[in-house]
Amino acid sequence: MSAARVSNGAWTALKLGITALVILPFVFILLLSFRSMADIYRNPLGFTGNWVPGNFVRAWNGPPGGTGFSNYFVNSVLVVLVAVVIAALFGALAAYFVSLLPARWRSRVLMIPLIATIVPTIALLIPFFQMFSAWGLMNSPVAVGVLYAGLCLPMTVLILHAFFVDFPGELREAAALDGLGHVRTFFTIVVPLSKPSLLAVSLLNLIWVWGETQVAIVLLQKATSQTIPVGVLTFQSSFMSDLGPIFAGLSLATVPVLIVYFVFNKTISRGVSMGGTFR
Amino acid sequence: MTAVSRTVSGGAGMQVRVRLVLLAALPALLLLLVVFAYPIVQTVQLSLSEWRGFGPMEWTGLDNYADVLSSDAFWDALRNTVVFALGATICIVAAALLLAVAATRGQRFDPAFRAIWFLPAIVPGTAAAVFWSISVQPQSGVVNAVLGFLGLGNGHAWLASPETALWVIVGVAAWTSTAFPFLLLAGAIDRVPAEVYEAARIDGAGDAQQFWYFTIPLIRPVLTMVVALQLIWNFNAFTLVWAMTKGGPAGSTTILPVLLYQEGFKNGDFGTAAAMGVISSALLIALGAVTLRGSASRAAGE
């Protein structure tokens, strides 16, 4: 009995240690964004010196002659909205109607999104660049949002399909008796009843899109078109060693998703257990 | 036009017109075509051509592949990529397993630990990368400050040294990427029936034995999938490396996605870059297919 208590104590210590390792970077980012460069260089662990909320103003407005988070923020929100809405709409339509097919057909059709999930981004990047230059879409956040919707689709379809397959057949039959066609049934019965799953998938898509860098760095080269993850890099090189505004920028990049996570963490972890994955 | 009126009986005994299914799936299919199918074909075509970023492509056969395979830079990058992908995958999966076991012992606050431990997964990769690269700077960095406080010296230039830079990025990858597989593995451990552990305890199995002989075999399908996906993603870990070192110092962190980006978007040699993309994708897809097929057939056999 006492051996069990000792081992429980060891596990608790381990868990607190892990928690510290997870949380401390967030604490440092937030605290350091309120400190001056000189104080950070003098002692990064100390909390003495001036309180400099002005770091946030400089991060929001950007360096003189450059672009700031006011700009990156709008682009990121735009990209996220376009990507999440299109992925949910196209994904739900495809997943629901495929789920009505006989099992033998379904498994074949689902090979398409399954294969797409293992295609690495490096195999797609240069043609993305070619397509965007040829169609005059370079530096367009909306176009990048549509592209992200496509990159999110395979996972969205797989998760939603797994959900729709278990959708109660009686509800569909009742709708059919009421004279509703498949399309009406989908929009008036299936979608409202699937809101939790649609939300879970959309939140996973949101988090992925909010952090995507590899595609954005290639397609959003003009500073005014850049999203937050690319902006963070532009920022790092334009503020150089002035760490205050850089940390304020990191706070601005992180806090919005933190809020989303605090509000929806149950839904998000359900999304993960439904088989969600980040690329 | 038989297809137009063709119906199949669906899973719930309903009649569905095939044309309707096609129509509903059409937007998704078109988008997948534009975002996946066409670019893959185009990458292969580019890899057989010369293209400098504008104008028409010029067919050059296998020249790009010959260039790539005979260049030292490619083989160095491939070695870095394999070291990084293996190192990061081992660290991430081991940490994720440890966290998953720790969070499923039925202790108080386990749900809270689970919620908190997922946090690093939601941070934009570049933000985590910039934070950690500032933190490992000599003197001004938090990590070095802590090491100095512990008497281990605060002057280490971890990212400026070719010996340590890659391992710093492996560590950052472990910080950002453990959360996801952790949650998946914890979910799999949750689904192991409690009777299994009761039976094991009656047979006198300790914690470690229960883990190796019961937990691991029962979560193997999820574990295999996690390992395969981690290998694939870490093989493609452009964001962290580009944000932290841009491939330096002295090329010691140049992994294939970074080399491809430099070759294409910095040097303007898109054909060669595309050939690298084709070679590494072939390696990755083979890896993914082998691992996932193995897990599928094992799952089917059980």
Side-chain angles (χ1 to χ4, degrees), chain B residues 29-241:
Chain B
L29 265 178
L30 284 179
L31 198 52
L32 288 180
L33 221 57
V34 174
V35 172
F36 287 96
Y38 170 76
I40 291 173
V41 174
Q42 184 68 7
T43 297
V44 173
Q45 200 184 344
L46 253 172
S47 74
L48 300 168
S49 318
E50 164 102 24
W51 190 64
R52 312 287 314 181
F54 47 83
M57 306 190 300
E58 193 187 319
W59 174 265
T60 54
L62 292 171
D63 284 6
N64 290 324
Y65 288 92
D67 285 351
V68 169
L69 293 175
S70 64
S71 85
D72 289 343
F74 171 78
W75 293 104
D76 287 345
L78 182 62
R79 198 195 56 226
N80 289 338
T81 313
V82 170
V83 170
F84 179 85
L86 281 179
T89 301
I90 290 170
C91 290
I92 288 167
V93 174
L97 265 178
L98 180 69
L99 267 63
V101 171
T104 50
R105 293 176 44 80
Q107 284 175 290
R108 273 176 77 190
F109 306 121
D110 276 355
F113 282 122
R114 258 192 228 206
I116 293 170
W117 292 351
F118 189 70
L119 280 174
I122 65 171
V123 179
T126 55
V130 168
F131 167 76
W132 285 107
S133 55
I134 293 171
S135 301
V136 296
Q137 292 305 311
Q139 280 88 37
S140 65
V142 169
V143 170
N144 274 312
V146 171
L147 290 176
F149 181 75
L150 297 173
L152 297 169
N154 69 352
H156 311 280
W158 300 107
L159 278 179
S161 152
E163 277 83 46
T164 52
L166 194 68
W167 299 105
V168 173
I169 305 174
V170 167
V172 176
W175 189 81
T176 58
S177 309
T178 296
F180 219 98
F182 149 63
L183 220 49
L184 284 173
L185 290 171
I189 294 179
D190 280 341
R191 289 192 293 272
V192 175
E195 301 89 67
V196 169
Y197 291 117
E198 276 160 36
R201 259 193 298 276
I202 290 168
D203 289 346
D207 275 1
Q209 283 163 319
Q210 284 178 30
F211 177 73
W212 285 116
Y213 296 113
F214 296 93
T215 310
I216 290 280
L218 285 169
I219 64 168
R220 181 161 285 151
V222 177
L223 189 60
T224 316
M225 186 193 74
V226 162
V227 171
L229 290 178
Q230 286 300 324
L231 277 174
I232 292 173
W233 290 334
N234 287 309
F235 203 95
N236 194 30
F238 170 83
T239 303
L240 288 182
V241 176

Side-chain angles (χ1 to χ4, degrees), chain A residues 202-253:
Chain A
S202 297
L203 287 166
L204 292 180
N205 287 343
L206 178 155
I207 293 172
W208 179 76
V209 170
W210 188 264
E212 204 291 329
T213 311
Q214 197 175 7
V215 173
I217 210 173
V218 167
L219 301 180
L220 302 173
Q221 301 189 350
K222 221 164 67 191
T224 49
S225 71
Q226 285 172 348
T227 51
I228 285 176
V230 187
V232 164
L233 296 181
T234 311
F235 235 57
Q236 190 192 17
S237 51
S238 49
F239 276 113
M240 297 305 278
S241 53
D242 195 353
L243 296 180
I246 292 182
F247 276 111
L250 296 183
S251 293
L252 292 171

Side-chain angles (χ1 to χ4, degrees), chain A residues 8 11-12 15 19 21 26 29 41 44 97 100 121 123 126-130 150 172-173 182 213 218 229 261 276 278, chain B residues 10-12 15 24 35 39 42-43 51 102 105 107 110 113 115 117-118 123 126 131 140 175 180 233 236 239 265 281:
Chain A
N8 268 342
W11 280 106
T12 305
K15 284 151 100 163
T19 306
L21 202 58
F26 293 92
I29 288 175
Y41 276 96
F97 283 91
L100 298 178
T121 315
I126 300 173
F128 286 169
F129 174 74
Q130 274 189 315
R172 273 200 300 259
E173 279 153 28
H182 283 293
T213 311
V218 167
Y261 182 69
F278 288 175
Chain B
Q15 300 288 307
V35 172
Q42 184 68 7
T43 297
W51 190 64
R105 293 176 44 80
Q107 284 175 290
D110 276 355
F113 282 122
W117 292 351
F118 189 70
V123 179
T126 55
F131 167 76
S140 65
W175 189 81
F180 219 98
W233 290 334
N236 194 30
T239 303
F265 297 96
S281 304

Side-chain angles (χ1 to χ4, degrees), chain B residues 283-295:
Chain B
L283 286 174
L284 272 184
I285 289 169
L287 188 77
V290 167
T291 342
L292 291 178
R293 179 169 290 255
S295 84

Side-chain angles (χ1 to χ4, degrees), chain A residues 153-236:
Chain A
L153 256 184
M155 184 193 82
T156 306
V157 169
L158 289 174
I159 293 183
L160 289 180
H161 176 269
F163 173 77
F164 288 141
V165 157
D166 295 330
F167 194 85
E170 307 85 59
L171 284 177
R172 273 200 300 259
E173 279 153 28
L177 286 179
D178 285 348
L180 287 185
H182 283 293
V183 178
R184 289 276 299 280
T185 308
F186 173 75
F187 283 108
T188 58
I189 298 188
V190 177
V191 167
L193 287 174
S194 316
K195 269 186 202 146
S197 301
L198 288 170
L199 182 67
V201 172
S202 297
L203 287 166
L204 292 180
N205 287 343
L206 178 155
I207 293 172
W208 179 76
V209 170
W210 188 264
E212 204 291 329
T213 311
Q214 197 175 7
V215 173
I217 210 173
V218 167
L219 301 180
L220 302 173
Q221 301 189 350
K222 221 164 67 191
T224 49
S225 71
Q226 285 172 348
T227 51
I228 285 176
V230 187
V232 164
L233 296 181
T234 311
F235 235 57
Q236 190 192 17

